[in-house]
Amino acid sequence: MLSSDWLDRRVRFLGKERYASEVVLELLAGLVIVSLVTYLLHPACLGERPITGDHPVHYARAYHLLHDLQARGGLHGWSHHWFGGYPAQYHYPFLSDLLVVGIHKGSFSLISFEAAYGLAFWLSYTLLG
């Protein structure tokens, strides 16, 4: 068990001077958040792409960013891949699309694009917590 004098000691954590007990509680809270999100979204954590709701649209937007818009050097623009033309990246912010592309490209394409979408979904809820 940890002694109380260790928990009363002041330590430097994330650039701030804090009590060790506060640091331990913050780390435990973070572990609880990661555990809950992983329990609830374990298929996404394992790289399985969610397909319910509007996930197919979000996946298509990220795929479109990877293959078409990135080749033109833009993050948004008009796209005829949608049924009648669509001003892509205007209704939803494109940060989530960049996260998916970043995970895929950051792994040097070792993580498939579908798995990168699942991991980005899991990571976004983990960071939100």
Side-chain angles (χ1 to χ4, degrees), residues 71-123:
R72 289 186 308 167
L75 293 176
H76 54 82
W78 189 261
S79 171
H80 290 289
H81 288 285
W82 301 95
F83 61 94
Y86 176 76
Q89 319 301 346
Y90 288 104
H91 293 295
Y92 293 106
F94 52 82
L95 185 59
S96 59
D97 301 336
L98 287 175
L99 181 61
V100 175
V101 172
I103 290 173
H104 177 66
K105 290 290 191 177
S107 70
F108 300 104
S109 300
L110 293 174
I111 297 176
S112 71
F113 195 73
E114 287 189 7
Y117 183 86
L119 288 172
F121 180 65
W122 172 83
L123 185 63

